[in-house]
Amino acid sequence: MREAQQTARGLAAEGRRFYAPGLLIVFFLSVSLSPARAQAARPYWFIMEQGKNYFRSGEYGEALLSFEEARNQRRAEYARLEQDMINLLSISEVRRLGDNLDFIERYIADKHVVSAARALEEVYYRVGRESLGNSAYKTLDVLRRLRDYPEAEYWIGETYRAEGELGIAIGQYRKAYEQKAALAESGFETEILYKMADIHRVRQEYNEMEARLLEILGEDALWGQSGDSFLRAAMTRTLEDPNERNRINRFLTLYRHNNQKVLRAHELLGYYYYASSRYVHAAEHLMFVFLIQNSIFIDEIIRRRFDYSFTTLDDLLNEIAARPPLAAFFEETDYFKTLYYLGAALYGNGKPASARDFWAFLSRRPDAGEWRNRAEAQLRSPYLERAVEMP
């Protein structure tokens, strides 16, 4: 009984709940545990957390051993659960039930098949019963997929990156991304892609960097294959309209896009395209950086002051300066650098009037520092600045 209580506490620490609608099974943990299982190694998720602690302490050798052990233990655990399910489905009585999960659950309850109940419990916890379409055989596909442990592959990559082994690290990140279907945290695949892009950038593998960043943008509602290209074209026209005297303020009045997850991808691509003289692409991506940055600021101000509405960029920056948390975030965004190079990309793209709008704005801002000085030089005598510092 003591062993059962210890196991129950371990499951509670992981945050699991036994959830199986329609499964008429009530088992006591003391029945389901054999002495051998009760003495099993620490759970893989616990070993993973220990590895993270080692990593944060700079004990990379211990961290690597922990991440590899966690990965191997998870593989073994899900292979065992898969085999338990295969054993159940191979019983002649069960085969006659077909692929009806309701009937098979009832069989498990009647016969007290503890191993199969444990396998179903794990699948329900990970993907939900409703995703199986009442098919018992689909549990095998899920258990087979869950042998992968992309988080462990990612952290192995992090460890090699920290030790300067970038070639091995990129291979691990790639493996983690290939296993993204097994990720516990939705959206974490974006973080993996960013890690890959950063290593490619450091190694000057720019084509690979570009490909990873475009993969990130492929999931953006306004940029991906299903994105609204008409809206993007309208945004560009607004910013470049030669007949509009108030282009920047009109642009920010009309459009919002606050997907912070893709901000860095647009930023890296904008500067990369500018450095490689692809000014049309550079302007488009830096336009999105500008839009996302300001959308975040505007949304945050509205959250604190519901009656706020955007009027001018100068007024927005004054609102930001009056709010210390926003001002701190503003300092981290390279905001003025974005404005300067967006103007430079527009100039390179043959839109000098739009470029001057951004440079003129910077020239009026004492807080823009270096970027004010550079904008003033551009206003006096515009030129294509070749050198660009990547973020």
Side-chain angles (χ1 to χ4, degrees):
M1 178 62 75
R2 180 179 301 170
E3 294 167 344
Q5 291 171 343
Q6 290 172 344
T7 301
R9 285 196 294 270
L11 290 174
E14 190 187 18
R16 296 187 178 184
R17 296 180 62 190
F18 182 67
Y19 175 64
L23 182 57
L24 306 177
I25 302 174
V26 179
F27 290 122
F28 294 101
L29 286 171
S30 56
V31 173
S32 66
L33 287 171
S34 67
R37 257 182 217 274
Q39 297 173 7
R42 298 161 300 167
Y44 67 83
W45 49 267
F46 181 82
I47 299 170
M48 170 67 85
E49 292 306 314
Q50 280 195 321
K52 292 179 186 178
N53 287 334
Y54 283 130
F55 181 88
R56 295 180 187 115
S57 301
E59 299 176 68
Y60 299 127
E62 292 296 327
L64 185 60
L65 290 173
S66 295
F67 297 142
E68 289 176 340
E69 182 184 353
R71 177 189 61 189
N72 295 339
Q73 188 162 311
R74 171 157 163 161
R75 284 176 180 169
E77 178 176 328
Y78 281 100
R80 184 178 65 248
L81 291 171
E82 182 187 358
Q83 189 58 53
D84 289 340
M85 201 65 194
I86 290 172
N87 292 341
L88 171 79
L89 297 174
S90 300
I91 297 171
S92 57
E93 289 178 86
V94 176
R95 289 203 306 269
R96 286 196 291 271
L97 298 175
D99 191 24
N100 189 306
L101 186 55
D102 291 335
F103 294 162
I104 292 172
E105 282 178 343
R106 192 170 299 118
Y107 177 90
I108 293 171
D110 291 343
K111 301 297 183 180
H112 291 260
V113 188
V114 175
S115 58
R118 186 182 296 109
L120 284 181
E121 174 190 353
E122 185 67 17
V123 171
Y124 294 162
Y125 170 73
R126 295 294 175 186
V127 303
R129 188 185 190 279
E130 64 282 356
S131 70
L132 301 174
N134 201 37
S135 168
Y137 285 95
K138 283 188 178 179
T139 63
L140 297 178
D141 294 332
V142 173
L143 290 167
R144 194 169 296 118
R145 186 182 78 228
L146 289 174
R147 288 190 194 184
D148 292 334
Y149 200 2
E151 290 86 354
E153 305 293 359
Y154 169 83
W155 280 100
I156 291 171
E158 283 285 88
T159 306
Y160 279 115
R161 181 190 58 79
E163 293 188 317
E165 298 286 351
L166 300 185
I168 301 175
I170 197 74
Q172 285 299 135
Y173 293 139
R174 189 175 296 113
K175 188 180 296 184
Y177 186 70
E178 289 169 354
Q179 297 176 5
K180 62 183 177 180
L183 283 168
E185 180 184 341
S186 176
F188 189 70
E189 62 270 20
T190 301
E191 177 66 20
I192 298 171
L193 286 171
Y194 272 124
K195 292 288 184 178
M196 294 169 69
D198 280 339
I199 289 183
H200 288 311
R201 181 171 62 87
V202 169
R203 298 176 69 177
Q204 298 183 358
E205 298 165 347
Y206 295 120
N207 288 339
E208 291 297 319
M209 179 198 76
E210 179 186 13
R212 300 295 82 75
L213 295 172
L214 288 174
E215 282 187 74
I216 293 170
L217 295 183
E219 300 301 316
D220 183 31
L222 196 52
W223 193 274
Q225 290 184 352
S226 60
D228 193 337
S229 58
F230 176 81
L231 179 58
R232 293 209 310 269
M235 290 163 59
T236 301
R237 285 196 302 272
T238 300
L239 206 57
E240 297 177 353
D241 186 354
N243 299 316
E244 174 62 53
R245 299 184 60 184
N246 203 11
R247 283 173 283 260
I248 295 177
N249 292 332
R250 178 168 174 76
F251 176 80
L252 291 177
T253 300
L254 292 174
Y255 305 112
R256 293 286 182 276
H257 190 53
N258 62 357
N259 187 352
Q260 192 170 351
K261 187 167 66 173
V262 301
L263 177 59
R264 181 162 169 78
H266 280 300
E267 190 175 34
L268 286 167
L269 284 170
Y271 291 120
Y272 168 60
Y273 288 138
Y274 183 88
S276 54
S277 302
R278 286 178 276 179
Y279 300 118
V280 173
H281 293 314
E284 191 170 28
H285 286 286
L286 291 173
M287 176 183 72
F288 266 78
V289 176
F290 177 65
L291 178 60
I292 293 170
Q293 287 175 342
N294 286 290
S295 295
I296 292 169
F297 293 134
I298 292 168
D299 288 349
E300 191 61 24
I301 292 170
I302 291 173
R303 195 174 69 84
R304 288 171 165 79
R305 194 186 120 194
F306 69 91
D307 62 338
Y308 174 81
S309 60
F310 175 83
T311 53
T312 68
L313 194 56
D314 282 302
D315 176 67
L316 175 62
L317 266 59
N318 293 337
E319 291 280 348
I320 292 169
R323 293 168 169 77
L326 274 183
F329 177 64
F330 180 87
E331 290 297 322
E332 299 172 3
T333 61
D334 281 335
Y335 186 88
F336 294 125
K337 178 182 176 181
T338 300
L339 268 64
Y340 176 83
Y341 278 107
L342 177 51
L346 288 165
Y347 180 77
N349 189 29
K351 310 295 179 184
S354 299
R356 290 182 66 86
D357 287 348
F358 286 98
W359 292 334
F361 175 81
L362 288 170
S363 72
R364 300 193 304 268
R365 301 290 309 189
D367 51 342
E370 169 197 357
W371 304 106
R372 180 192 188 188
N373 298 334
R374 293 168 76 163
E376 288 175 339
Q378 289 281 15
L379 289 171
R380 287 193 299 268
S381 180
Y383 63 97
L384 279 174
E385 185 167 339
R386 298 300 180 185
V388 56
E389 181 183 344
M390 294 285 284

